[in-house]
Amino acid sequence: MKRVSLDMIAKEVNLSKTTVSMVLNGKGDLHKINPDTQALILSVAKRLKFRPNMIARNLSTGSSKTLALIVPRIIDTYYGLIAESIEQLSLKLGYQVLLGTTHEDPVKEKELLLTFEAQQVDGILIASTQHNLEDIKTISDAGLPVVLFDRHYPEADLPYVVVDNYLGAQKLVKHLIESGRKNIGYVGLNLDLTAIKDRQRGFENAIEGRAKDSNNLKIVDHQHAKSDCRKAVEELILNQGVDGIVFETHYLALYGIAKIREMEVDYPGAVSIASFGDHEVFSIFRPEVTALVLPVEQIAQNSIDMLMRQIENKPGDDPHLNKIVEPSMKVRNT
Amino acid sequence: MKRVSLDMIAKEVNLSKTTVSMVLNGKGDLHKINPDTQALILSVAKRLKFRPNMIARNLSTGSSKTLALIVPRIIDTYYGLIAESIEQLSLKLGYQVLLGTTHEDPVKEKELLLTFEAQQVDGILIASTQHNLEDIKTISDAGLPVVLFDRHYPEADLPYVVVDNYLGAQKLVKHLIESGRKNIGYVGLNLDLTAIKDRQRGFENAIEGRAKDSNNLKIVDHQHAKSDCRKAVEELILNQGVDGIVFETHYLALYGIAKIREMEVDYPGAVSIASFGDHEVFSIFRPEVTALVLPVEQIAQNSIDMLMRQIENKPGDDPHLNKIVEPSMKVRNT
DNA sequence: ACCTGAAACTAAATCGGTTTAGCAAATCTT
DNA sequence: AAGATTTGCTAAACCGATTTAGTTTCAGGT
């Protein structure tokens, strides 16, 4: 029942555990261990099914070969997709992934950060609530590599990978305008995030008179997103008389579409929509939903790259290689 | 830049690290450490922002306070939901969660198992590909707690939490029959999983003549689920003339619905459907999709409970507390 | 004055690896 | 044949905690 340790192998072959350790780490030749000895150790290790105790190795090397991934929620397919990409990429690089979800709660996020730090992760990838700059700064300053993705702290000097949300909003509005819409509405969230603010700014800036008035921009409470979004859609259509709506996230679009259908307005004839972020069902819905595709693979890849660069190259190394990825329109029928 | 260790605190207060360790672990009173001394240590620890090195602690205690969660894929909302539940529950119990996704690849699964074992996780929760009994058995026999969830190895003596899929299939068929369907089809996957087999058996057993012939049961390749599912639906409707279809998973239902709509048959009038597993959009689609709800919270809770019982009570302790949870119908409009 | 026992604390072993510094024997120089 | 290298290997420190088995000091009992 007891695990096989280096010592046991050493005893078995009558050599020191130093030798065994070196050989099993592939440094046998480097340390000029006799090939025969190496073969012997290797075979015994295999026979005894030796698996190094990573905890011990980690303590000794100071590296845990583990990354922490912190996201708002994992059932959000956007973060789910990023999580899956990151997990795959990490594994290829020999790193495990510890998962944490915040549900937009800064307190939970802080706890996660502290736990992961204590857990000696080698790096942290975080889509932050943007309410924990202090702690993230402290952790980063202490030398633990951090990469912010999807959401960043613009005022801080921390590496990040984000989407160009301002541009994204413009693309969405442009699409609706080009398809002939004259009075465009917007449903967004009351989250205090740069990404969100950028989307709203982008919308306001691109709208160029194609909105009745400022009431065309509806901000709903993220805690009651579903019911509030439905209300917002109703108001936009009934009171504001919009003929097009931009939804700030895929799930707002989902809620909105449900409401629009119930209202039995001519959709997408009288009211056309476009969503920030794609969703697997957007091409299954009839009509298919037009969306702005956020490049999840790119985000994952860039984040991992950025983190690895920090991990492998502790000293400064120009941390200002921030990445702003560009989203692209997937025009469908709405 | 250097982390604060027990030794540093010990030096600071001129005491041994034994004392410091005891106090910081709340065992000060137990070991009769002077209250004043305790207060002093606590305050210094706080001042220096001491965070114990978990790796060192883990090596010493032999426990990593980490659980491994292995699922086929995390973007599948079913597993996503379970993952989120498990993460929340674990955190409350003081455990971190290491995530691994297999994509139904037994080789990847085996790698994950070995890595997690080496990583000294305290327990493993796995929705297995059901092609790694050997390795899972070995790990479990070595004393590492394992709980199989969603998918189990019926022939093996390993604790599991699964859904009653046989019953589920019956409920789905019963619903369609009761709503007047006379010729019911089925679209399933070619996965060699008990859960899948049970669903198919359940369907065949409940159908009681309400199927034209055995061609009403279509099995599609899980690698090309989307295109094959569309073909299957087409055949069921055109060749078999079905008036009802049971889909073996929520995503098959999604693909199927898309195809049905394109075919412009009277839906759900002429062809009614029901899906194994719910999906957030099923209540957004018009018509709303009838589904069999799999109790994810229950699965998560039971799995964690079962794992904790093993972790806390190493000796035998009746491992035969397997749990089979019951799914429930969510009847909507299809 | 001597013994007992509790109070308050500590030295050292331990977990299982990695790594540095160095030793003994064999081989090569010249 | 003496000295210099190389080959092949090992002892012991180290990572930072936990934990066992004591030790010292002092008060109380007789």
Side-chain angles (χ1 to χ4, degrees):
Chain A
M1 210 87 332
K2 220 159 159 332
R3 290 181 53 93
V4 183
S5 71
L6 275 190
D7 270 318
M8 294 171 68
I9 296 184
K11 292 240 166 65
E12 186 82 11
V13 296
N14 255 311
L15 288 165
S16 75
K17 73 172 173 178
T18 305
T19 309
V20 176
S21 169
M22 287 166 166
V23 171
L24 294 181
N25 282 313
K27 297 181 185 164
D29 289 340
L30 184 67
H31 291 280
K32 323 200 175 194
I33 306 299
N34 188 318
D36 292 348
T37 308
Q38 293 197 42
L40 174 65
I41 291 174
L42 254 14
S43 80
V44 170
K46 179 166 255 173
R47 178 159 57 76
L48 299 184
K49 296 199 170 115
F50 172 73
R51 311 228 83 227
N53 180 325
M54 288 302 185
I55 299 272
R57 172 179 290 174
N58 295 344
L59 176 60
S60 184
T61 60
S63 145
S64 66
K65 285 284 171 185
T66 298
L67 306 179
L69 173 64
I70 303 178
V71 293
R73 41 173 53 81
I74 197 72
I75 33 171
D76 183 323
T77 52
Y78 170 58
Y79 292 113
L81 244 20
I82 293 180
E84 207 154 284
S85 270
I86 285 178
E87 194 246 339
Q88 310 261 24
L89 294 170
S90 304
L91 219 59
K92 258 183 222 148
L93 296 167
Y95 287 83
Q96 304 301 305
V97 177
L98 276 169
L99 176 69
T101 56
T102 65
H103 292 265
E104 305 291 0
D105 178 357
V107 178
K108 176 95 191 285
E109 177 170 301
K110 179 172 183 149
E111 276 170 21
L112 285 171
L113 284 166
L114 294 179
T115 321
F116 286 145
E117 188 198 10
Q119 199 79 251
Q120 312 291 114
V121 297
D122 290 343
I124 298 182
L125 291 156
I126 178 171
S128 171
T129 59
Q130 278 190 230
H131 289 284
N132 270 320
L133 180 52
E134 285 300 305
D135 297 286
I136 297 178
K137 247 304 192 194
T138 307
I139 286 175
S140 173
D141 288 347
L144 177 51
V146 174
V147 168
L148 306 170
F149 72 92
D150 187 59
R151 295 130 168 240
H152 72 305
Y153 293 81
E155 72 274 28
D157 186 22
L158 293 164
Y160 61 83
V161 178
V162 294
V163 173
D164 191 335
N165 288 292
Y166 187 84
L167 175 67
Q170 293 192 307
K171 286 190 175 185
L172 284 165
V173 172
K174 186 154 162 270
H175 162 74
L176 288 178
I177 290 180
E178 281 174 357
S179 63
R181 304 295 154 170
K182 311 257 184 255
N183 182 15
I184 302 171
Y186 183 98
V187 182
L189 296 163
N190 68 337
L191 288 170
D192 192 19
L193 302 170
T194 313
I196 294 298
K197 300 289 170 210
D198 285 355
R199 291 177 189 189
Q200 294 169 7
R201 270 198 313 115
F203 171 77
E204 286 172 329
N205 230 283
I207 203 67
E208 287 181 13
R210 311 288 177 118
K212 188 179 159 201
D213 55 45
S214 65
N215 283 331
N216 268 28
L217 196 150
K218 299 288 182 195
I219 303 301
V220 308
D221 182 13
H222 74 106
Q223 302 275 26
H224 316 93
K226 188 165 186 171
S227 59
D228 285 12
C229 176
R230 293 168 61 87
K231 253 180 269 167
V233 166
E234 188 165 27
E235 278 178 39
L236 283 175
I237 295 178
L238 264 32
N239 303 346
Q240 301 294 114
V242 303
D243 58 3
I245 304 177
V246 170
F247 288 97
E248 203 175 61
T249 71
H250 57 172
Y251 59 91
L252 284 174
L254 246 28
Y255 303 149
I257 292 168
K259 181 64 186 174
I260 289 174
R261 284 197 174 134
E262 284 172 30
M263 291 175 70
E264 295 185 359
V265 300
D266 174 15
Y267 162 73
V271 180
S272 166
I273 75 159
S275 163
F276 253 102
D278 205 2
H279 190 285
E280 55 172 344
V281 300
F282 283 176
S283 55
I284 292 178
F285 278 127
R286 285 299 112 84
E288 295 187 19
V289 182
T290 292
L292 185 80
V293 181
L294 308 177
V296 287
E297 311 264 320
Q298 252 191 73
I299 296 173
Q301 184 71 59
N302 280 303
S303 303
I304 284 283
D305 285 352
M306 210 170 271
L307 195 65
M308 287 304 150
R309 236 177 290 131
Q310 285 186 71
I311 291 177
E312 280 153 19
N313 210 339
K314 299 303 249 189
D317 185 30
D318 195 354
H320 290 286
L321 299 163
N322 298 324
K323 184 88 183 177
I324 301 175
V325 298
E326 201 170 309
S328 59
M329 284 299 293
K330 179 79 193 177
V331 176
R332 290 190 274 242
N333 312 126
T334 59
Chain B
M1 208 91 331
K2 223 165 158 325
R3 290 181 53 94
V4 184
S5 71
L6 275 191
D7 269 318
M8 294 171 68
I9 296 184
K11 293 243 166 64
E12 186 82 10
V13 295
N14 254 314
L15 289 163
S16 76
K17 72 172 173 179
T18 306
T19 310
V20 177
S21 170
M22 287 165 166
V23 171
L24 294 181
N25 282 314
K27 299 181 184 164
D29 289 340
L30 185 67
H31 292 278
K32 324 199 174 196
I33 307 298
N34 189 319
D36 291 348
T37 308
Q38 293 197 41
L40 174 65
I41 291 175
L42 254 15
S43 80
V44 170
K46 179 166 256 174
R47 178 159 56 76
L48 298 184
K49 295 201 167 92
F50 171 74
R51 312 228 80 228
N53 180 326
M54 288 302 183
I55 299 274
R57 170 178 291 175
N58 295 344
L59 178 60
S60 184
T61 59
S63 143
S64 65
K65 284 287 172 182
T66 299
L67 305 180
L69 173 64
I70 303 179
V71 292
R73 39 173 54 80
I74 196 74
I75 32 171
D76 183 323
T77 52
Y78 170 57
Y79 293 113
L81 245 20
I82 293 181
E84 207 155 284
S85 271
I86 286 179
E87 193 247 340
Q88 308 261 24
L89 294 170
S90 304
L91 219 60
K92 257 182 221 147
L93 296 168
Y95 287 83
Q96 304 300 306
V97 176
L98 275 168
L99 176 69
T101 56
T102 65
H103 292 265
E104 306 291 0
D105 178 357
V107 178
K108 176 95 190 285
E109 178 170 300
K110 179 173 183 148
E111 275 169 22
L112 285 172
L113 284 167
L114 294 179
T115 322
F116 286 145
E117 188 198 10
Q119 200 79 251
Q120 313 290 113
V121 297
D122 290 343
I124 298 182
L125 291 156
I126 179 170
S128 171
T129 58
Q130 278 190 231
H131 289 284
N132 270 320
L133 180 52
E134 284 300 304
D135 297 286
I136 297 178
K137 247 305 191 191
T138 307
I139 286 175
S140 173
D141 288 346
L144 177 52
V146 174
V147 167
L148 306 169
F149 72 91
D150 187 58
R151 295 130 168 240
H152 72 305
Y153 294 81
E155 72 275 28
D157 186 21
L158 292 165
Y160 61 82
V161 178
V162 295
V163 172
D164 191 336
N165 287 291
Y166 187 83
L167 175 67
Q170 294 192 308
K171 286 191 175 183
L172 283 166
V173 172
K174 185 155 161 272
H175 162 75
L176 287 178
I177 290 179
E178 281 173 357
S179 64
R181 304 296 155 169
K182 312 259 185 248
N183 182 14
I184 302 171
Y186 183 97
V187 182
L189 297 163
N190 68 338
L191 287 171
D192 192 19
L193 302 170
T194 313
I196 294 297
K197 299 292 170 208
D198 285 355
R199 291 178 189 189
Q200 294 169 7
R201 270 197 315 113
F203 170 76
E204 287 172 330
N205 231 283
I207 203 68
E208 285 181 15
R210 312 289 177 119
K212 187 178 158 199
D213 55 45
S214 66
N215 283 331
N216 268 27
L217 195 150
K218 299 287 182 194
I219 302 302
V220 307
D221 182 14
H222 74 106
Q223 302 274 27
H224 316 92
K226 188 165 187 173
S227 59
D228 286 11
C229 176
R230 294 168 60 88
K231 253 180 269 169
V233 166
E234 188 166 28
E235 278 177 38
L236 282 175
I237 295 179
L238 264 31
N239 304 345
Q240 301 296 114
V242 303
D243 58 3
I245 303 177
V246 171
F247 288 98
E248 202 175 60
T249 71
H250 57 173
Y251 58 91
L252 284 174
L254 246 26
Y255 302 148
I257 292 167
K259 181 63 186 177
I260 290 174
R261 284 196 172 133
E262 283 173 31
M263 290 174 71
E264 294 186 359
V265 299
D266 175 14
Y267 161 73
V271 180
S272 168
I273 75 159
S275 163
F276 254 101
D278 205 2
H279 190 285
E280 55 172 342
V281 300
F282 283 177
S283 55
I284 293 177
F285 277 127
R286 285 300 111 84
E288 294 187 21
V289 181
T290 292
L292 185 81
V293 181
L294 309 177
V296 288
E297 310 265 321
Q298 253 191 71
I299 296 173
Q301 184 70 60
N302 280 302
S303 303
I304 284 284
D305 285 353
M306 211 169 270
L307 195 65
M308 287 306 152
R309 236 178 290 131
Q310 285 186 69
I311 292 177
E312 280 153 19
N313 210 340
K314 300 302 250 189
D317 185 29
D318 195 356
H320 291 286
L321 300 164
N322 297 323
K323 184 87 182 176
I324 301 176
V325 299
E326 200 171 310
S328 60
M329 285 298 294
K330 179 77 193 178
V331 176
R332 290 190 275 241
N333 312 127
T334 59

